[in-house]
Amino acid sequence: MMTTTTAPESQPFQAEVAELLNLMVHSVYSETDIFLRELISNASDACDKLRYEAISAPELIADGAPPRIRIVPNKAADTLSVVDSGIGMDRQELIDNLGTIARSGTKSFLSRLTEAKDGTNLIGQFGVGFYAAFMVADRIVVTSRRAGSDEVFVWSSSGGSGFEIAPASEEDAARVTRGTEIVLHLKKDAAKYVEAHEIERIVRAWSDNIQFPIELVPEEGEPRQINSASALWQRPKSELSPEDYKQAYQQIAGAFDDPAMTLHYRAEGRQSYAVLLFAPSTKPFDLFDQARKGKVKLYVRRVFIADDADVLPAYLRFIRGVIDSEDLPLNISREMLQNNPQLAQIRKAVTGRVISELENLGEKEPEAFAKIWDAFGPVIKEGIWEDFERREKLLGLSRFTTTTGEKRSLKQYVEDLKPNQTDIYYLTGDSIERLKANPKLESATARGIEVLLLTDPVDAFWTSAPLDFGGKPLKSLSQGDIDFVLIPLLDDKAEDKKDEAGADEATTIALIKDALGERVSDVRASQRLTSSASCLVAGGDAHDRMLERLLAMQNKAPATKPILEINMRHPVVAAIAGDKEAGKDLSFLLLEQAQILDGELPEDPAAFANRLNALVLRGLAKG
């Protein structure tokens, strides 16, 4: 069926696209070269998709012409065209792909883009590369024919509130036999992008490792290929330089930072596959998307299969790169990938290799590893909960802020254990500052016991598993009983104070229980406290206090009553048995100040304020 020309249909952009285009048109980037990299990357993806679909439908490439990308400058018309012979788009795909952004990170992108002084390092992370072309063009015309279709459509926009779409003319249809042609009508200040040397410079810098030939079609002379078009991961390491790896990382990951770690090797044996993986040095925007999808591309014999095939576990989803198998079937579907035993073996082997490489980096290049941990530590710690097989290794990889220092490993912690110390102690909370002021640390601090200070939300979950490292169990200072009696105090004078007479334990506890009723599950004398009056802890069989709060906030578990621990040598505690009139108010004060120190609000803030005022006035009257 021959395409005929009809009146173009106007459609509005999705609201987020309109806002994004407004930012692009007004030049939010100081470096505009990246528009060409983004268009070439999109063209490469289209060629990849054609090769994949042609496995099951070879008629899509019946002409026998291999996929390629062409760049066509036209100085007379002030246009630059990027043309691919890839999969192409039909009418609805043009509308969906160029008129909307179906990415959950769009709003995050826009907010960060408006805050950034230079958005260059953001655009590749958010999958909105096509729109970067509006930095250099005041009008864009896209003509596309989906492989195997007789219909050709033209999409055009000047970057305003909408776009037009219409069937292509006979001339356009004859020119675009398969794939997509993007014609940029360049702004006056973007005239340099029709110069051959500028185009070659950008392609060599950003797109040299694109697998498909990129041809420059000059106004005079023959077309010539301007990229190496080699699968870099298939080349020997001895042939590659650090700059080669950097360019490959930036092209594969759509990134602008330097990789903090590079892993390149070929596996031979029962299975043969090439691996080129990178750990970024900066955090991508979608790191905590609920889907937790990875971004490692899977190829089979250089044919692109999928970019989200779960070839690494979710806790390594920050890793970018390529795995190219020689043994997987080319016609494997995405559904079959999930249960393919060969891919499962690759997944297991590559995961182990990535973790080993991270271990080596932590030992030999701690500064490089620190960049990875600062950006992705919370994600790696998800694996402690999820990956029982590698739990010990992931605990060894982890770095912690402790009462002793920063970036401390559990190996260092175990090496510095105090005499008679058999456990690794930790405390979870909202912030390092609040944890350092937490009264539950007092007895440990008095003995010089190092405590892990855990503030990432994931910490409350992985610590709920039964864990040990080097045979030393991990134990929360907010949960269960604590007994430091065999660990000597740093200050001998403090040992003498332990024997000082305090309040009558049985009487005081009975009075506090009577006053608080069902608000606590128990009241008991504390082994944790040395100077504070009280603290709240969880029972040995209950969730840790931080996890309890997180689950309660999400309505995923009923809140359990905490245990109130009291310091029998504290004057406020002693006053409870000696002043029955104020005893009830003092009991509530012990509970509510413990809640505040844990970062919680008292159950009834107004009643707390009234009780506190009454106690102050009573003290003033006696004075």
Side-chain angles (χ1 to χ4, degrees):
M1 168 178 134
M2 180 60 67
T3 304
T4 57
T5 305
T6 61
E9 176 189 346
S10 297
Q11 292 199 25
F13 281 122
Q14 177 192 26
E16 287 85 356
V17 173
E19 186 178 351
L20 176 62
L21 287 179
N22 181 58
L23 290 167
M24 293 294 178
V25 170
H26 292 89
S27 301
V28 296
Y29 296 127
S30 62
E31 179 55 70
T32 56
D33 289 354
I34 60 167
F35 85 91
L36 187 54
R37 186 198 77 167
E38 295 300 316
L39 294 183
I40 291 173
S41 179
N42 291 345
S44 175
D45 288 345
C47 293
D48 266 331
K49 289 173 182 175
L50 175 65
R51 288 207 304 182
Y52 178 68
E53 291 197 16
I55 295 168
S56 56
E59 66 274 11
L60 295 179
I61 51 174
D63 60 5
R68 64 177 181 174
I69 301 165
R70 289 180 296 139
I71 301 175
V72 186
N74 187 327
K75 293 182 180 180
D78 288 326
T79 63
L80 180 69
S81 302
V82 178
V83 187
D84 70 72
S85 56
I87 194 63
M89 291 176 279
D90 59 26
R91 179 181 182 279
Q92 192 58 46
E93 287 172 324
L94 281 167
I95 294 171
D96 292 342
N97 294 339
L98 305 185
T100 64
I101 306 178
R103 290 283 303 266
S104 60
T106 303
K107 291 186 182 296
S108 174
F109 171 76
L110 290 170
S111 63
R112 285 178 59 182
L113 192 60
T114 52
E115 293 169 4
K117 293 180 180 177
D118 178 14
T120 301
N121 64 336
L122 296 179
I123 189 166
Q125 300 176 23
F126 287 81
V128 291
F130 169 78
Y131 304 101
F134 281 100
M135 294 187 295
V136 298
D138 50 25
R139 179 170 172 76
I140 299 177
V141 179
V142 180
T143 305
S144 193
R145 183 200 296 262
R146 205 178 201 290
S149 173
D150 291 333
E151 296 183 319
V152 185
F153 290 91
V154 178
W155 178 102
S156 60
S157 175
S158 298
S161 59
F163 58 90
E164 293 182 342
I165 191 164
S169 66
E170 290 190 13
E171 181 183 353
D172 290 338
R175 189 177 67 254
V176 180
T177 57
R178 184 186 71 217
T180 301
E181 174 193 76
I182 301 174
V183 180
L184 310 182
H185 294 263
L186 297 171
K187 298 177 180 179
K188 289 182 179 180
D189 59 0
K192 67 178 182 179
Y193 294 114
V194 296
E195 299 292 340
H197 66 88
E198 279 292 310
I199 296 169
E200 290 188 63
R201 177 185 63 80
I202 296 169
V203 169
R204 289 198 187 99
W206 295 111
S207 306
D208 191 56
N209 293 305
I210 290 288
Q211 290 189 71
F212 303 97
I214 301 174
E215 295 181 352
L216 177 62
V217 184
E219 294 180 77
E220 297 179 1
E222 294 295 317
R224 65 180 187 278
Q225 185 173 323
I226 57 174
N227 70 320
S228 62
S230 65
L232 182 138
W233 54 87
Q234 294 289 351
R235 293 165 59 186
K237 292 172 68 173
S238 59
E239 294 182 4
L240 302 172
S241 68
E243 187 61 27
D244 291 327
Y245 283 122
K246 177 182 174 180
Q247 289 182 10
Y249 161 69
Q250 292 178 336
Q251 183 261 307
I252 292 169
F256 292 86
D257 59 331
D258 292 347
M261 182 185 81
T262 300
L263 177 60
H264 183 199
Y265 69 97
R266 171 175 286 281
E268 302 284 0
R270 293 179 63 185
Q271 290 198 66
S272 177
Y273 53 91
V275 175
L276 178 60
L277 299 177
F278 304 95
S281 53
T282 58
K283 189 185 302 183
F285 85 101
D286 56 355
L287 188 62
F288 293 103
D289 274 3
Q290 290 185 352
R292 301 169 74 217
K293 284 285 187 182
K295 296 294 175 64
V296 174
K297 300 177 187 294
L298 177 64
Y299 285 77
V300 175
R301 296 189 287 282
R302 268 67 69 202
V303 175
F304 173 75
I305 301 298
D307 57 9
D308 57 354
D310 291 330
V311 288
L312 288 175
Y315 64 85
L316 292 176
R317 61 186 176 274
F318 59 91
I319 297 291
R320 301 291 191 260
V322 169
I323 295 176
D324 191 350
S325 170
E326 298 293 332
D327 305 305
L328 286 170
L330 269 173
N331 61 349
I332 191 167
S333 69
R334 288 176 180 266
E335 292 72 27
M336 291 168 62
L337 279 174
Q338 304 306 315
N339 301 307
N340 184 275
Q342 290 175 294
L343 186 61
Q345 292 171 12
I346 293 174
R347 186 180 195 265
K348 181 176 181 179
V350 176
T351 299
R353 186 67 180 264
V354 169
I355 292 174
S356 295
E357 196 71 13
L358 288 169
E359 287 177 325
N360 291 335
L361 196 69
E363 292 177 7
K364 298 175 182 177
E365 298 180 54
E367 290 185 4
F369 180 77
K371 290 182 181 179
I372 296 175
W373 186 258
D374 287 342
F376 309 113
V379 177
I380 295 173
K381 285 189 287 188
E382 292 174 12
I384 302 174
W385 170 259
E386 296 172 345
D387 193 342
F388 179 81
E389 180 183 349
R390 301 180 181 88
R391 183 169 286 172
E392 181 91 2
K393 282 184 170 292
L394 293 173
L395 280 170
L397 268 184
S398 300
R399 299 293 185 267
F400 302 97
T401 297
T402 75
T403 50
T404 298
E406 296 182 353
K407 300 289 191 303
R408 294 274 290 171
S409 69
L410 290 184
K411 180 181 178 182
Q412 291 171 311
Y413 185 107
V414 170
E415 288 173 349
D416 294 342
L417 287 175
K418 293 296 176 183
N420 301 320
Q421 182 182 345
T422 58
D423 296 320
I424 297 170
Y425 294 100
Y426 67 87
L427 194 59
T428 57
D430 298 321
S431 70
I432 294 295
E433 293 73 20
R434 184 171 285 167
L435 284 178
K436 286 182 176 179
N438 196 299
K440 300 184 188 80
L441 286 176
E442 290 174 356
S443 189
T445 301
R447 291 166 170 79
I449 297 172
E450 185 175 11
V451 179
L452 311 179
L453 305 176
L454 310 179
T455 58
D456 294 320
V458 69
D459 292 330
F461 292 91
W462 66 263
T463 53
S464 65
L467 300 169
D468 70 84
F469 182 81
K472 306 297 180 183
L474 272 71
K475 185 170 181 57
S476 172
L477 289 182
S478 288
Q479 185 181 24
D481 295 321
I482 296 293
D483 186 1
F484 292 145
V485 67
L486 296 178
I487 304 174
L489 291 159
L490 296 177
D491 185 357
D492 293 336
K493 294 180 181 178
E495 191 74 39
D496 297 335
K497 291 181 182 178
K498 285 175 57 181
D499 300 325
E500 292 179 4
D504 180 77
E505 186 172 317
T507 301
T508 303
I509 288 176
L511 288 170
I512 296 173
K513 283 184 175 180
D514 183 62
L516 299 181
E518 297 298 318
R519 289 175 176 81
V520 295
S521 62
D522 196 11
V523 179
R524 65 189 184 197
S526 179
Q527 301 299 316
R528 292 170 171 83
L529 304 173
T530 60
S531 56
S532 296
S534 61
C535 67
L536 290 171
V537 300
D541 297 328
H543 292 307
D544 182 80
R545 291 276 297 147
M546 185 65 182
L547 180 57
E548 180 82 28
R549 290 201 296 273
L550 289 173
L551 293 175
M553 287 168 59
Q554 299 173 24
N555 297 317
K556 290 189 176 179
T560 57
K561 303 297 181 185
I563 297 169
L564 179 66
E565 289 197 354
I566 55 174
N567 180 357
M568 300 307 301
R569 290 174 296 281
H570 195 280
V572 171
V573 175
I576 290 174
D579 188 343
K580 292 186 179 181
E581 180 184 355
K584 186 173 182 179
D585 284 341
L586 289 172
S587 297
F588 273 95
L589 179 64
L590 293 175
L591 170 63
E592 290 163 338
Q593 73 175 12
Q595 289 175 318
I596 292 169
L597 288 169
D598 269 356
E600 302 175 21
L601 282 175
E603 187 176 319
D604 187 343
F608 165 71
N610 290 335
R611 272 191 292 272
L612 188 60
N613 289 337
L615 288 168
V616 171
L617 291 172
R618 191 178 290 124
L620 290 172
K622 287 183 179 179

